[in-house]
Coordinates of all heavy atoms in Angstrom, one line a residue:
A1 N -4.1 -2.5 -2.6 CA -3.5 -3.6 -1.9 C -2.9 -4.6 -2.9 O -1.9 -5.2 -2.5 CB -4.6 -4.3 -1.1
V2 N -3.4 -4.8 -4.1 CA -3.0 -5.9 -4.9 C -2.8 -5.4 -6.3 O -3.3 -4.4 -6.7 CB -3.9 -7.1 -4.9 CG1 -4.0 -7.7 -3.5 CG2 -5.3 -6.7 -5.3
R3 N -2.1 -6.3 -7.1 CA -2.0 -6.1 -8.6 C -1.5 -4.7 -9.0 O -0.6 -4.2 -8.4 CB -3.3 -6.6 -9.2 CG -3.6 -8.1 -9.0 CD -5.0 -8.5 -9.4 NE -5.1 -8.5 -10.9 CZ -4.7 -9.4 -11.7 NH1 -4.2 -10.5 -11.2 NH2 -5.0 -9.3 -13.0
V4 N -2.2 -4.1 -9.9 CA -1.7 -2.8 -10.4 C -1.8 -1.7 -9.3 O -0.9 -0.9 -9.2 CB -2.5 -2.4 -11.7 CG1 -2.2 -1.0 -12.1 CG2 -2.3 -3.4 -12.8
G5 N -2.9 -1.8 -8.5 CA -3.0 -0.8 -7.5 C -1.9 -0.8 -6.5 O -1.4 0.2 -6.0
R6 N -1.4 -2.0 -6.2 CA -0.2 -2.2 -5.3 C 1.0 -1.5 -5.9 O 1.8 -0.8 -5.3 CB 0.0 -3.6 -5.0 CG 1.3 -3.9 -4.2 CD 1.9 -5.3 -4.4 NE 3.3 -5.3 -4.0 CZ 4.2 -5.0 -4.9 NH1 3.9 -4.6 -6.1 NH2 5.5 -5.0 -4.5
A7 N 1.2 -1.8 -7.2 CA 2.4 -1.2 -7.9 C 2.3 0.3 -7.9 O 3.4 1.0 -7.7 CB 2.5 -1.7 -9.3
I8 N 1.1 0.9 -8.0 CA 1.0 2.3 -8.0 C 1.3 2.8 -6.6 O 2.0 3.8 -6.5 CB -0.5 2.7 -8.4 CG1 -0.7 2.4 -9.9 CG2 -0.7 4.2 -8.1 CD1 -2.1 2.5 -10.3
A9 N 0.8 2.2 -5.6 CA 1.0 2.7 -4.2 C 2.5 2.7 -3.9 O 3.0 3.6 -3.3 CB 0.2 1.8 -3.2
V10 N 3.2 1.6 -4.3 CA 4.6 1.5 -4.0 C 5.4 2.5 -4.8 O 6.4 3.1 -4.3 CB 5.1 0.0 -4.3 CG1 6.6 -0.1 -4.2 CG2 4.5 -0.9 -3.3
A11 N 5.0 2.7 -6.0 CA 5.8 3.7 -6.9 C 5.6 5.1 -6.3 O 6.6 5.9 -6.3 CB 5.2 3.6 -8.3
L12 N 4.4 5.4 -5.8 CA 4.3 6.8 -5.2 C 5.1 6.9 -4.0 O 5.7 7.9 -3.7 CB 2.8 7.0 -4.9 CG 1.9 7.2 -6.1 CD1 0.4 7.3 -5.6 CD2 2.2 8.5 -6.8
A13 N 5.2 5.8 -3.2 CA 6.1 5.8 -2.0 C 7.5 6.0 -2.4 O 8.3 6.8 -1.8 CB 5.9 4.5 -1.2
D14 N 7.9 5.4 -3.5 CA 9.3 5.6 -4.0 C 9.5 7.1 -4.4 O 10.7 7.5 -4.4 CB 9.6 4.7 -5.2 CG 9.8 3.3 -4.9 OD1 10.3 3.0 -3.7 OD2 9.6 2.4 -5.7
A15 N 8.5 7.8 -4.8 CA 8.6 9.2 -5.1 C 8.5 10.1 -3.9 O 8.4 11.3 -4.0 CB 7.5 9.6 -6.1
G16 N 8.4 9.5 -2.7 CA 8.4 10.3 -1.5 C 7.0 10.7 -1.0 O 6.9 11.6 -0.2
V17 N 6.0 10.0 -1.5 CA 4.6 10.3 -1.1 C 4.1 9.4 0.0 O 4.3 8.2 0.0 CB 3.7 10.2 -2.4 CG1 2.3 10.5 -2.1 CG2 4.2 11.1 -3.5
D18 N 3.5 10.0 1.0 CA 2.7 9.2 2.0 C 1.5 8.6 1.3 O 0.8 9.3 0.5 CB 2.3 10.1 3.2 CG 3.5 10.7 4.0 OD1 4.6 10.1 3.9 OD2 3.3 11.7 4.6
V19 N 1.2 7.4 1.7 CA 0.1 6.7 0.9 C -0.9 6.0 1.9 O -0.5 5.3 2.8 CB 0.7 5.6 0.0 CG1 -0.4 4.9 -0.8 CG2 1.8 6.2 -0.9
A20 N -2.2 6.3 1.6 CA -3.3 5.5 2.2 C -3.7 4.4 1.2 O -4.1 4.7 0.1 CB -4.4 6.4 2.5
V21 N -3.6 3.2 1.6 CA -3.9 2.0 0.8 C -5.3 1.6 1.1 O -5.6 1.1 2.2 CB -2.9 0.9 1.1 CG1 -3.2 -0.3 0.3 CG2 -1.4 1.3 0.8
H22 N -6.2 1.7 0.1 CA -7.5 1.3 0.3 C -7.7 -0.2 -0.1 O -7.0 -0.6 -1.1 CB -8.5 2.1 -0.5 CG -9.8 1.4 -0.8 ND1 -10.0 0.8 -2.1 CD2 -10.9 1.1 -0.1 CE1 -11.2 0.2 -2.1 NE2 -11.7 0.4 -0.9
Y23 N -8.5 -0.9 0.6 CA -8.8 -2.3 0.2 C -10.3 -2.6 0.5 O -10.9 -1.9 1.3 CB -7.9 -3.3 0.9 CG -8.3 -3.5 2.3 CD1 -9.0 -4.6 2.7 CD2 -7.8 -2.7 3.3 CE1 -9.4 -4.8 4.0 CE2 -8.2 -2.8 4.6 CZ -9.0 -3.9 5.0 OH -9.3 -4.1 6.3
H24 N -10.8 -3.7 -0.1 CA -12.1 -4.1 0.2 C -12.0 -5.5 0.9 O -12.4 -5.7 2.0 CB -13.0 -4.2 -1.1 CG -14.4 -4.8 -0.8 ND1 -15.1 -5.4 -1.7 CD2 -15.1 -4.8 0.3 CE1 -16.3 -5.8 -1.2 NE2 -16.3 -5.4 0.0
R25 N -11.5 -6.5 0.2 CA -11.4 -7.9 0.7 C -10.0 -8.3 1.0 O -9.8 -9.2 1.8 CB -12.0 -8.9 -0.2 CG -13.5 -8.7 -0.4 CD -14.1 -9.9 -1.2 NE -15.5 -9.8 -1.4 CZ -16.1 -9.3 -2.4 NH1 -15.4 -8.8 -3.4 NH2 -17.5 -9.2 -2.5
S26 N -9.0 -7.6 0.5 CA -7.6 -8.1 0.6 C -6.9 -7.4 1.8 O -5.9 -6.7 1.6 CB -6.8 -7.7 -0.7 OG -7.5 -8.3 -1.8
A27 N -7.3 -7.7 3.0 CA -6.8 -7.1 4.2 C -5.3 -7.5 4.4 O -4.5 -6.6 4.7 CB -7.6 -7.5 5.4
A28 N -5.0 -8.7 4.3 CA -3.6 -9.2 4.5 C -2.7 -8.6 3.5 O -1.6 -8.1 3.8 CB -3.5 -10.7 4.5
A29 N -3.1 -8.5 2.2 CA -2.3 -8.0 1.2 C -2.1 -6.5 1.4 O -1.1 -5.9 1.1 CB -2.9 -8.2 -0.2
A30 N -3.2 -5.8 1.9 CA -3.1 -4.4 2.2 C -2.0 -4.1 3.2 O -1.2 -3.1 3.1 CB -4.4 -3.8 2.6
R31 N -2.0 -4.9 4.2 CA -1.0 -4.8 5.3 C 0.4 -5.0 4.8 O 1.4 -4.3 5.1 CB -1.3 -5.7 6.5 CG -2.5 -5.3 7.3 CD -2.6 -6.1 8.6 NE -2.8 -7.5 8.3 CZ -4.0 -8.1 8.3 NH1 -5.1 -7.3 8.4 NH2 -4.2 -9.4 8.1
R32 N 0.6 -6.0 3.9 CA 1.9 -6.2 3.3 C 2.3 -5.0 2.4 O 3.5 -4.6 2.5 CB 1.9 -7.5 2.4 CG 1.8 -8.8 3.3 CD 2.1 -10.0 2.4 NE 1.1 -10.2 1.4 CZ 0.0 -10.9 1.5 NH1 -0.3 -11.5 2.7 NH2 -0.8 -11.1 0.5
T33 N 1.4 -4.5 1.7 CA 1.7 -3.3 0.8 C 2.1 -2.1 1.7 O 3.1 -1.4 1.4 CB 0.5 -3.0 -0.1 OG1 0.2 -4.1 -0.9 CG2 0.8 -1.7 -0.9
A34 N 1.4 -1.9 2.8 CA 1.7 -0.8 3.7 C 3.1 -1.0 4.3 O 3.8 0.0 4.5 CB 0.6 -0.7 4.8
H35 N 3.4 -2.2 4.6 CA 4.8 -2.5 5.1 C 5.8 -2.1 4.1 O 6.9 -1.5 4.4 CB 4.9 -4.0 5.5 CG 6.2 -4.3 6.1 ND1 6.6 -4.0 7.4 CD2 7.3 -5.0 5.5 CE1 7.8 -4.4 7.6 NE2 8.3 -5.0 6.5
E36 N 5.6 -2.5 2.8 CA 6.6 -2.1 1.8 C 6.7 -0.6 1.7 O 7.8 -0.1 1.4 CB 6.1 -2.7 0.4 CG 6.2 -4.2 0.3 CD 5.8 -4.6 -1.2 OE1 6.5 -4.2 -2.1 OE2 4.8 -5.2 -1.3
I37 N 5.6 0.1 1.8 CA 5.6 1.6 1.6 C 6.4 2.2 2.8 O 7.2 3.0 2.6 CB 4.2 2.1 1.6 CG1 3.5 1.7 0.3 CG2 4.1 3.6 1.8 CD1 2.0 1.9 0.3
A38 N 6.1 1.7 4.0 CA 6.8 2.2 5.2 C 8.3 2.0 5.2 O 9.0 2.8 5.7 CB 6.2 1.6 6.5
A39 N 8.7 0.9 4.6 CA 10.1 0.6 4.4 C 10.8 1.6 3.6 O 12.1 1.7 3.6 CB 10.3 -0.8 3.9
R40 N 10.1 2.4 2.8 CA 10.7 3.4 2.0 C 10.8 4.8 2.7 O 11.2 5.8 2.1 CB 9.9 3.6 0.7 CG 10.1 2.4 -0.3 CD 9.0 2.1 -1.2 NE 9.4 1.2 -2.3 CZ 9.4 -0.1 -2.2 NH1 9.1 -0.7 -1.0 NH2 9.8 -0.8 -3.2
G41 N 10.4 4.8 4.0 CA 10.6 6.0 4.8 C 9.5 7.0 4.7 O 9.7 8.1 5.1
V42 N 8.3 6.6 4.2 CA 7.2 7.5 4.2 C 6.1 6.8 5.0 O 6.1 5.6 5.4 CB 6.7 7.7 2.7 CG1 7.7 8.5 1.9 CG2 6.3 6.4 2.0
R43 N 5.0 7.6 5.2 CA 3.9 7.0 6.0 C 3.0 6.2 5.2 O 2.8 6.4 4.0 CB 3.0 8.2 6.6 CG 3.7 8.9 7.7 CD 2.8 10.0 8.3 NE 2.5 11.0 7.3 CZ 1.5 11.9 7.5 NH1 0.8 11.9 8.6 NH2 1.3 12.8 6.6
A44 N 2.4 5.1 5.8 CA 1.5 4.2 5.1 C 0.4 3.9 6.1 O 0.6 3.6 7.3 CB 2.2 2.9 4.7
V45 N -0.9 4.0 5.6 CA -2.0 3.7 6.4 C -2.9 2.7 5.5 O -2.9 2.8 4.3 CB -2.9 4.9 6.8 CG1 -2.0 5.7 7.8 CG2 -3.4 5.7 5.7
V46 N -3.7 1.9 6.2 CA -4.5 0.9 5.5 C -6.0 1.3 5.8 O -6.3 1.4 7.0 CB -4.2 -0.5 6.0 CG1 -5.2 -1.5 5.4 CG2 -2.8 -0.9 5.5
L47 N -6.8 1.4 4.8 CA -8.2 1.8 5.0 C -9.1 0.9 4.3 O -8.9 0.6 3.1 CB -8.4 3.2 4.5 CG -7.6 4.3 5.1 CD1 -7.8 5.7 4.4 CD2 -7.9 4.5 6.6

């Protein structure tokens, strides 16, 4: 959802990978990251 993990999730989406974004406390940030991923045309889920 945040920091380095977010950058990794977005980079994988840029490579055409569907991504499940795990979070513990950062629910709002996880949703924002998932929105960024979905904007790249791949699937994004928040767990």
Side-chain angles (χ1 to χ4, degrees):
V2 296
R3 296 170 69 83
V4 173
R6 174 202 158 276
I8 292 169
V10 171
L12 288 173
D14 283 334
V17 177
D18 294 337
V19 183
V21 178
H22 156 260
Y23 75 96
H24 179 205
R25 295 189 177 94
S26 305
R31 289 191 293 270
R32 289 193 296 270
T33 300
H35 180 75
E36 288 185 67
I37 291 168
R40 285 154 167 82
V42 296
R43 287 184 295 170
V45 297
V46 173
L47 300 173

